[in-house]
Amino acid sequence: MQYKFICHCSARSANIASQFRSRSRRRLPGIIWEINLVSTENGRVIDAQDFEVSAIEEASVAETLRPPRFRGSKLLQIGHNMWITRPGLSKPIPISPRQRLSGMVSNGDIAATNYVGDYNPELVGEETVQSEPCYVLELTAKHKRATYNRIRYWISKSREVGVKAEFYSLSNKLMKIANFNYKNNIVYAEKTIPFISDMTIKDALMDAVTTMKYGTITVKSISPNKFDLGQIQ
Amino acid sequence: MKSYSTALYLPITFVITTSIYADHSISWDGTLYGYVETMNVRRDSILNPNNQIAALSSRTATIETRLNFKLELENWDFTARPILLMNEKSNNSVTKDNNAAYFSQWQARFHATDNVNISIGREVLNWGPAQFKSLASPFYFDNGRSNPMRELSGMDNIKIAWSPNINNTITLARINKSGHDLPNDWNNSWLLKLDTRSNELATGIAILRYPNVNTFIGMYGQYTANDSLLLYTEIASSVDVKRQIDTLMGIAWTFDNGQTLNLEYMRNNHGFNSDEIHAYFNQASVNYAQAAYALSHLPLLLGKDYLHLVWQSNPLETYIYWRIMATHSITDHGNELSAYAEYTLNESTSLFGMAIVNLGNERQEFSSLLHNNFNLGIKIAFP
């Protein structure tokens, strides 16, 4: 499962789509955070995992901290290339981007969605989400590699962050609904930037919910060596 | 039985070192493996008639502890992976204990700058996307498949790695000696390696220069064509009698359910053609001495052309993982079928099983020594 910094972008003016692009280009030198993931099916907890994620530019490394049987496993992503490695494995194994889409791991892909890189935004209206006025963006896949054919994305007018998203398949079927909260803040270049604190993903096709809580966030430069396959194990 | 003190020395040093540095993080974990293995040895083997030359064990019971220690200081990382192994091998009425304690890997790594790491230690120097054989690495040609229940042990080296950005790394390493249980073929050699990783492509070239032997050149490349399709290759150029180039080409397709099918073709120009394989077994069949000679000189891969098929579940799934493999020698038409499965009982414990079945006769590579081999075990992670 892998995660990448999510740029939940601003919406100050009518030209929200343009701002969506430009705001997303703002880069941090690197960011490290921890995720606690709990998945339930029919109200029963079926999976609980903790990760530490390091991300820079288009690269990320997610290291499993819990459960014990997966401790030390790492998932490296650089662009669309992905590898998995575990302590004692003979070498990192390349895996396909589609493998992160099946089963329980599929929710990791929502956390990793590259909204700007993979989708073209278009402002389609304004709606209210939980009493909060929002802009609504329609994100259309730029290329076949994008996970979902389209995403409907709600951005708070006042807080300038994404608060909800709906993910649709190629056949235009609603697959998942995600809600985002921002109780974390990170400070960079003397600016305070809201950072996601928790994400709830509901499966539209079955009674399954995954909650991800984000914490221990650090903005700092990360050595490129961390993303070298020869030094990752 | 060897003393375990060697394997415990470094972890204890870690603890002492951490008391000196205030700003540090230390962690450790381990996994206890317990497994039994049965091996159905071929009695009519030409290379090992009546199992009198290799004396392979028909039953083995193993308890193995694999530990991980990690200490991170401001500019230093220390890691160690000690292995404590106890196994009992039985062959008819003879039972033999075989205990060992060693470091499978260890490393002291200094972050000289943001882009440069200097390290010393024992490290598995294996790379490339292929599953059947690791052609691109000179050290682990068979990718650990000769004993799949055991993990690879590292090579002792001093290394400097420079990553100017996330897409490129240049590595220069001095291989001091082979690690715990590897042949000392690479002592005092130099390794230069260049790796690149971009959005869809990953490539690498490794050049190994070792004393009095011609240079080894290994290359790999992989291309993520789309969400489902991965294309890859590994190439090796090395000198046996004369310089030969071996190649492996692979394609992997991932289905909607996350299962993946890999198909690999390998051309092993160092191997024998079908007539040479025939002559090899004929020579070995003359007497025990010839059989022993042939067995001791059995190459890691006997033939020239191979197909390797892997069908596996999504390795990112949390509860069940399985893998089915089939290898066909186009040269001698022999086949090897194998399967591995792991089932999670709880957060710490899983059961695993492995089966290898060789189809063919005593004059075919895969079935020349064994009919089949089965493993069943339990894995407990701690703390």
Side-chain angles (χ1 to χ4, degrees):
Chain A
M1 203 173 297
Q2 56 93 45
Y3 304 91
K4 201 158 55 179
F5 175 60
I6 306 160
C7 215
H8 294 280
C9 303
S10 79
R12 192 184 299 276
S13 69
N15 194 7
I16 184 69
S18 170
Q19 284 205 13
F20 176 85
R21 293 191 194 93
S22 60
R23 177 79 175 266
S24 302
R25 290 194 195 104
R26 194 176 288 173
R27 296 209 182 275
L28 298 170
I31 186 163
I32 301 170
W33 71 94
E34 288 185 8
I35 296 177
N36 165 252
L37 177 150
V38 177
S39 293
T40 60
E41 224 173 79
N42 300 318
R44 190 172 64 92
V45 175
I46 56 165
D47 199 17
Q49 298 186 48
D50 293 342
F51 306 91
E52 183 190 82
V53 184
S54 305
I56 179 174
E57 298 173 24
E58 295 299 312
S60 64
V61 180
E63 179 175 356
T64 306
L65 308 175
R66 187 177 69 101
R69 68 180 188 278
F70 290 141
R71 192 183 293 120
S73 299
K74 291 179 182 172
L75 187 72
L76 169 67
Q77 176 171 17
I78 297 174
H80 285 91
N81 280 318
M82 294 171 67
W83 295 266
I84 187 170
T85 186
R86 297 192 176 110
L89 208 61
S90 63
K91 59 183 179 180
I93 301 169
I95 61 169
S96 142
R98 182 170 281 184
Q99 283 175 315
R100 73 181 192 223
L101 303 182
S102 70
M104 292 311 304
V105 295
S106 62
N107 293 318
D109 189 63
I110 287 178
T113 301
N114 186 351
Y115 293 93
V116 174
D118 292 343
Y119 297 90
N120 284 317
E122 183 190 351
L123 181 65
V124 293
E126 298 183 10
E127 288 178 11
T128 300
V129 176
Q130 292 178 340
S131 309
E132 187 170 11
C134 293
Y135 294 107
V136 185
L137 293 187
E138 189 81 17
L139 309 182
T140 313
K142 284 181 183 174
H143 47 72
K144 288 181 181 174
R145 289 191 307 271
T147 308
Y148 298 94
N149 187 45
R150 72 180 181 96
I151 299 170
R152 202 167 169 84
Y153 195 58
W154 285 259
I155 297 175
S156 161
K157 284 184 176 181
S158 58
R159 294 187 293 142
E160 303 180 353
V161 292
V163 295
K164 182 183 171 185
E166 290 177 351
F167 300 86
Y168 292 84
S169 70
L170 203 62
S171 57
N172 213 24
K173 188 187 284 182
L174 177 61
M175 303 295 288
K176 289 182 177 168
I177 304 161
N179 288 87
F180 313 106
N181 285 315
Y182 300 83
K183 292 170 188 165
N184 291 318
N185 286 310
I186 54 176
V187 179
Y188 177 66
E190 298 179 347
K191 287 186 178 172
T192 301
I193 304 166
F195 190 85
I196 193 159
S197 57
D198 57 86
M199 180 187 300
T200 305
I201 302 164
K202 289 180 185 163
D203 197 308
L205 307 175
M206 56 192 286
D207 182 14
V209 179
T210 295
T211 305
M212 291 186 239
K213 293 186 186 303
Y214 295 65
T216 325
I217 304 151
T218 311
V219 176
K220 68 173 192 180
S221 176
I222 301 170
S223 167
N225 285 307
K226 190 153 189 169
F227 305 96
D228 172 30
L229 283 170
Q231 300 177 80
I232 197 170
Q233 282 183 300
Chain B
M1 186 166 83
K2 273 189 185 174
S3 164
Y4 293 124
S5 59
T6 310
L8 294 173
Y9 173 76
L10 200 57
I12 291 167
T13 309
F14 280 6
V15 174
I16 295 168
T17 311
T18 54
S19 64
I20 300 169
Y21 291 90
D23 185 19
H24 68 268
S25 83
I26 187 167
S27 60
W28 74 278
D29 60 75
T31 306
L32 178 70
Y33 289 75
Y35 54 91
V36 291
E37 177 183 23
T38 63
M39 200 182 275
N40 188 359
V41 179
R42 176 165 222 124
R43 294 288 154 191
D44 60 353
S45 169
I46 290 173
L47 302 176
N48 181 33
N50 293 313
N51 196 22
Q52 291 191 348
I53 297 174
L56 299 171
S57 305
S58 54
R59 287 178 302 280
T60 305
T62 303
I63 294 175
E64 184 177 354
T65 306
R66 301 175 185 175
L67 299 165
N68 291 300
F69 294 89
K70 188 172 186 180
L71 165 64
E72 293 175 297
L73 305 174
E74 191 177 351
N75 291 316
W76 286 89
D77 294 338
F78 298 91
T79 54
R81 189 166 168 82
I83 307 288
L84 309 173
L85 176 76
M86 290 183 286
N87 67 17
E88 187 183 87
K89 297 187 173 193
S90 319
N91 189 4
N92 297 328
S93 57
V94 182
T95 300
K96 200 166 75 175
D97 287 339
N98 176 29
N99 301 328
Y102 62 95
F103 285 102
S104 165
Q105 298 178 62
W106 67 270
Q107 191 175 64
R109 183 188 292 172
F110 174 59
H111 306 289
T113 72
D114 270 357
N115 305 90
V116 176
N117 284 343
I118 300 168
S119 62
I120 182 169
R122 176 175 292 173
E123 186 185 358
V124 175
L125 299 171
N126 196 17
W127 46 80
Q131 302 209 22
F132 178 45
K133 300 290 173 189
S134 266
L135 267 66
S137 167
F139 311 115
Y140 303 98
F141 176 76
D142 85 335
N143 211 8
R145 295 207 185 281
S146 59
N147 189 350
M149 294 311 298
R150 302 292 308 283
E151 69 175 46
L152 295 177
S153 179
M155 311 287 299
D156 292 345
N157 72 90
I158 300 171
K159 188 171 92 172
I160 180 166
W162 176 50
S163 300
N165 50 52
I166 58 171
N167 301 115
N168 300 287
T169 302
I170 297 173
T171 305
L172 178 66
R174 167 80 169 174
I175 313 300
N176 299 321
K177 72 186 204 47
S178 302
H180 163 67
D181 58 357
L182 297 167
N184 289 318
D185 293 346
W186 302 283
N187 290 6
N188 305 315
S189 55
W190 287 94
L191 172 72
L192 178 65
K193 186 160 158 274
L194 170 66
D195 295 282
T196 63
R197 306 164 289 277
S198 60
N199 197 29
E200 280 111 13
L201 202 62
T203 60
I205 179 166
I207 300 168
L208 185 81
R209 177 74 188 153
Y210 40 118
N212 307 318
V213 182
N214 285 296
T215 303
F216 169 92
I217 302 169
M219 290 179 278
Y220 70 84
Q222 69 175 69
Y223 174 63
T224 304
N226 56 44
D227 267 10
S228 303
L229 182 64
L230 181 74
L231 305 171
Y232 54 93
T233 185
E234 290 199 27
I235 299 168
S237 169
S238 61
V239 175
D240 190 350
V241 179
K242 61 177 183 175
R243 182 164 288 279
Q244 303 270 19
I245 294 176
D246 303 323
T247 52
L248 184 150
M249 290 175 286
I251 181 170
W253 179 263
T254 303
F255 299 96
D256 284 344
N257 60 11
Q259 294 174 9
T260 299
L261 202 59
N262 289 60
L263 178 64
E264 298 179 349
Y265 164 74
M266 182 178 161
R267 172 69 179 179
N268 174 36
N269 278 316
H270 286 93
F272 297 155
N273 62 31
S274 55
D275 289 342
E276 289 165 338
I277 289 179
H278 192 65
Y280 170 84
F281 281 109
N282 275 349
Q283 184 67 30
S285 65
V286 172
N287 55 40
Y288 270 40
Q290 290 292 341
Y293 180 83
L295 183 63
S296 63
H297 288 78
L298 182 66
L300 288 168
L301 211 50
L302 196 61
K304 276 196 184 297
D305 297 288
Y306 294 87
L307 285 174
H308 184 64
L309 188 73
V310 183
W311 179 28
Q312 64 179 329
S313 67
N314 190 342
L316 297 176
E317 289 286 359
T318 44
Y319 284 95
I320 297 176
Y321 171 73
W322 54 263
R323 184 174 68 232
I324 297 169
M325 293 180 287
T327 307
H328 173 69
S329 168
I330 298 171
T331 312
D332 73 5
H333 307 293
N335 294 291
E336 181 186 82
L337 303 177
S338 60
Y340 176 87
E342 191 167 332
Y343 177 72
T344 298
L345 296 176
N346 59 42
E347 302 208 301
S348 303
T349 312
S350 53
L351 298 174
F352 63 89
M354 192 184 70
I356 299 173
V357 177
N358 299 306
L359 305 175
N361 60 42
E362 70 281 6
R363 288 175 180 268
Q364 288 173 305
E365 178 183 12
F366 297 131
S367 51
S368 61
L369 293 170
L370 300 175
H371 289 294
N372 51 53
N373 181 3
F374 299 99
N375 280 274
L376 192 62
I378 187 167
K379 209 159 78 166
I380 303 169
F382 58 89

